């Protein structure tokens, strides 16, 4: 695949992966993107996952034709992109690896080999001249690991953005839901905690004239870039992307579910622009997490369990708080047959979240819904709509 006259795609599609990063379901697989710039000097941008190193090396050899690579630019050391470094450096002993100082340390930790004698340490703003192309390096710590950098090709105005602007899904799949759905699940799952660091990189990117974004996962973005940049700005500033309410519940015998679904119905009746409902025991947890960050208002409904809350809700709230959940309005529905504590526990877990308010109406169910509960749910819907 040709990205520009001098830039070729040499990545691979992973269709056998079950869990990305050991955690995220990826029913449509994953792409490990890699690129090569052909100029007076040739530069290879990252490698691939360990299961695909041979395929990737084949793609590289084909793109280079009979030339040899001069540089391997390592933007990120997570093994989904770095597993081919050793094979590459062995196959091309003249090549130099270009990476941040932290990345060289990680290379040694992963491979046992110190590549600094065959390397160039890249710092913020450093450049690498390839001929007509010049790469400028932009450090991007914690997007997604501390060693991460991006590269900007000044000639073709291409940003090699590392994990940023990536999405789940192999590239042989045309996602009918468009880019944002799986990009959002990926973003909040993987870098949701580091909104501040993403904001810092977006500020640096704003000073560049970017025509194409080449991420390490997902499609190359070459039109309507404002759309993607705006979404990244909203996500990384913990803003509201979609007006509406997301309702998350766990239920043991169906009563808490009944309350959550009744609330969803009432919200719709009262004109709430969008209502999303997730059963945390059955729906994908990462989908639920992205919805919590997508909407400005959420409602949590769960049962008391071992004087605490039901495990799936506990895990869900932990996913939110460890990702710096903030700027939200939260409604609570609790159920408990003899000593309900769920609302208190949920509030306690969320009280450290910045700029977050709780709805005045709290729904307290003592097993099955009563008329009073139905009235409370109506009041909660009125508050949250
Ligand atoms: Fe795609 Fe953070 O690795």
């Amino acid at each position: 695949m040709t990205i520009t006259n001098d830039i070729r795609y040499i990545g691979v599609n992973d269709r056998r992966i079950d869990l990305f990063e050991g955690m995220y379901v990826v029913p449509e697989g994953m792409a490990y993107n890699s690129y090569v710039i052909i100029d007076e000097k040739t530069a290879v941008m990252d490698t691939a996952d360990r299961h695909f190193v041979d395929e990737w090396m084949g793609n590289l050899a084909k793109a280079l034709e009979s030339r040899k690579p001069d540089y391997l630019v390592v933007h990120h050391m997570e093994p989904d992109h770095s597993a081919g470094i050793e094979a590459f450096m062995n196959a091309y002993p003249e090549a130099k690896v270009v990476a941040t100082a932290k990345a060289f340390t990680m290379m040694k930790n992963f491979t046992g080999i110190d590549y600094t004698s065959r390397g160039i340490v890249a710092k913020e703003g450093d450049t690498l001249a390839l001929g007509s192309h010049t790469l400028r390096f932009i450090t991007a710590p914690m997007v997604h690991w501390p060693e991460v950098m991006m590269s900007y090709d000044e000639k073709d105005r291409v940003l090699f953005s590392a994990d940023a602007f990536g999405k789940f899904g192999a590239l042989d799949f045309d996602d009918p839901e468009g880019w944002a759905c799986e990009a959002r699940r990926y973003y909040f799952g993987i870098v949701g905690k580091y909104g501040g660091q993403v904001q810092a990189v977006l500020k640096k990117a704003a000073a560049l004239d970017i025509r194409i974004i080449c991420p390490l996962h997902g499609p190359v973005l070459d039109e309507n870039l404002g759309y993607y940049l705006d979404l990244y700005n909203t996500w990384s500033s913990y803003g509201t992307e979609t007006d509406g309410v997301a309702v998350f519940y766990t239920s043991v015998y169906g009563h808490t579910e009944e309350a959550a679904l009744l609330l969803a119905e009432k919200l719709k009746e009262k004109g709430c622009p969008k209502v999303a409902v997730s059963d945390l025991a059955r729906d994908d947890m990462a989908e639920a997490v992205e919805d919590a960050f997508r909407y400005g208002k959420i409602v949590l409904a769960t049962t008391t369990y071992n004087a605490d809350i039901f495990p799936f809700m506990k895990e869900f709230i932990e996913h939110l708080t460890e990702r710096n959940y903030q700027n939200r309005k939260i409604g609570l529905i609790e159920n408990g047959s003899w000593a309900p504590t769920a609302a208190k526990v949920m509030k306690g877990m969320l009280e450290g979240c910045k700029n977050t308010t709780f709805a005045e109406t709290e729904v307290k169910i003592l097993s099955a819904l009563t008329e009073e509960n139905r009235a409370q749910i109506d009041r909660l819907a009125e508050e949250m709509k």
Side-chain angles (χ1 to χ4, degrees):
M1 193 198 328
T2 298
I3 311 293
T4 68
N5 275 345
D6 304 327
I7 302 177
R8 315 264 190 281
Y9 181 84
I10 57 166
V12 295
N13 284 322
D14 184 350
R15 279 291 186 172
R16 50 180 159 150
I17 188 170
D18 60 342
L19 293 177
F20 180 68
E21 292 189 357
M23 182 171 18
Y24 300 100
V25 293
V26 279
E28 295 304 332
M30 203 65 200
Y32 311 119
N33 296 340
S34 172
Y35 309 88
V36 58
I37 305 174
I38 315 274
D39 199 344
E40 286 166 37
K41 301 275 189 190
T42 56
V44 180
M45 317 304 263
D46 299 291
T47 71
D49 176 85
R50 70 192 167 107
H51 299 105
F52 298 88
V53 170
D54 289 346
E55 183 183 339
W56 169 76
M57 290 282 278
N59 293 349
L60 171 61
K62 208 184 285 176
L64 287 171
E65 297 173 348
S66 54
R67 294 187 57 181
K68 294 269 181 279
D70 295 287
Y71 301 108
L72 172 62
V73 180
V74 173
H75 293 98
H76 183 18
M77 271 306 295
E78 195 165 8
D80 50 334
H81 312 292
S82 68
I85 293 175
E86 203 173 339
F88 175 94
M89 295 302 273
N90 290 340
Y92 302 109
E94 309 292 311
K96 283 197 157 71
V97 60
V98 184
T100 60
K102 276 199 173 74
F104 279 102
T105 305
M106 289 184 181
M107 253 174 259
K108 183 148 189 270
N109 293 344
F110 274 112
T111 66
I113 303 167
D114 185 350
Y115 283 109
T116 45
S117 61
R118 291 178 59 190
I120 298 171
V121 176
K123 294 187 294 303
E124 177 72 31
D126 282 359
T127 56
L128 181 71
L130 303 175
S132 63
H133 293 258
T134 297
L135 290 176
R136 197 187 321 161
F137 302 117
I138 301 149
T139 55
M142 299 322 294
V143 187
H144 145 229
W145 279 10
E147 85 298 359
V148 171
M149 68 173 187
M150 300 181 183
S151 296
Y152 176 68
D153 171 21
E154 294 179 346
K155 183 183 181 202
D156 288 343
R157 298 169 195 184
V158 176
L159 181 70
F160 295 93
S161 61
D163 274 343
F165 301 99
K167 80 186 271 291
F168 294 126
L171 295 190
D172 56 4
F173 172 67
D174 192 9
D175 196 336
E177 297 192 272
W179 180 84
C181 185
E182 284 293 70
R184 187 190 303 105
R185 187 167 72 98
Y186 171 89
Y187 174 85
F188 284 110
I190 285 159
V191 284
K193 179 180 173 65
Y194 300 106
Q197 287 85 341
V198 175
Q199 283 278 304
V201 173
L202 288 176
K203 284 201 177 77
K204 292 194 239 181
L208 304 171
D209 177 11
I210 301 167
R211 301 286 162 91
I212 300 174
I213 297 175
C214 289
L216 285 175
H217 302 286
V220 169
L221 307 175
D222 58 4
E223 53 188 22
N224 201 13
L225 295 191
Y227 167 75
Y228 305 102
L229 289 159
D230 281 353
L231 275 178
Y232 254 61
N233 187 36
T234 302
W235 296 344
S236 57
S237 59
Y238 304 95
T240 295
E241 179 188 341
T242 304
D243 285 330
V245 178
V247 180
F248 305 95
Y249 72 90
T250 68
S251 193
V252 187
Y253 293 105
H255 299 106
T256 317
E257 179 178 53
E258 190 187 344
L261 298 183
L262 178 63
L263 176 76
E265 202 183 295
K266 296 263 178 206
L267 283 165
K268 284 181 208 156
E269 274 172 25
K270 291 174 189 293
C272 180
K274 193 137 197 286
V275 183
V277 181
S278 303
D279 173 351
L280 295 175
R282 291 175 181 81
D283 297 336
D284 175 47
M285 189 59 83
E287 288 272 0
V289 169
E290 65 155 297
D291 268 356
F293 283 94
R294 176 177 183 171
Y295 297 93
K297 300 172 197 168
I298 66 166
V299 175
L300 306 176
T302 198
T303 47
T304 304
Y305 191 82
N306 286 338
D308 203 318
I309 53 173
F310 205 66
F312 297 109
M313 180 60 80
K314 189 166 188 173
E315 182 193 343
F316 177 63
I317 295 174
E318 281 167 354
H319 279 301
L320 302 187
T321 53
E322 74 188 29
R323 287 170 174 75
N324 275 326
Y325 198 61
Q326 54 188 273
N327 300 338
R328 295 303 189 265
K329 180 166 183 181
I330 302 174
L332 300 173
I333 299 175
E334 70 171 358
N335 198 346
S337 294
W338 59 93
T341 55
K344 188 168 162 235
V345 171
M346 290 192 282
K347 220 175 202 171
M349 290 179 77
L350 290 156
E351 69 192 356
C353 295
K354 270 195 280 178
N355 192 26
T356 289
T357 54
F358 291 92
E360 246 173 65
T361 310
E362 256 179 34
V363 181
K364 183 193 283 282
I365 305 163
L366 298 168
S367 300
L369 268 71
T370 60
E371 279 317 302
E372 170 55 15
N373 290 147
R374 291 175 198 282
Q376 286 171 338
I377 288 169
D378 191 75
R379 283 204 297 281
L380 181 60
E382 193 60 37
E383 256 194 83
M384 299 295 290
K385 70 183 180 191

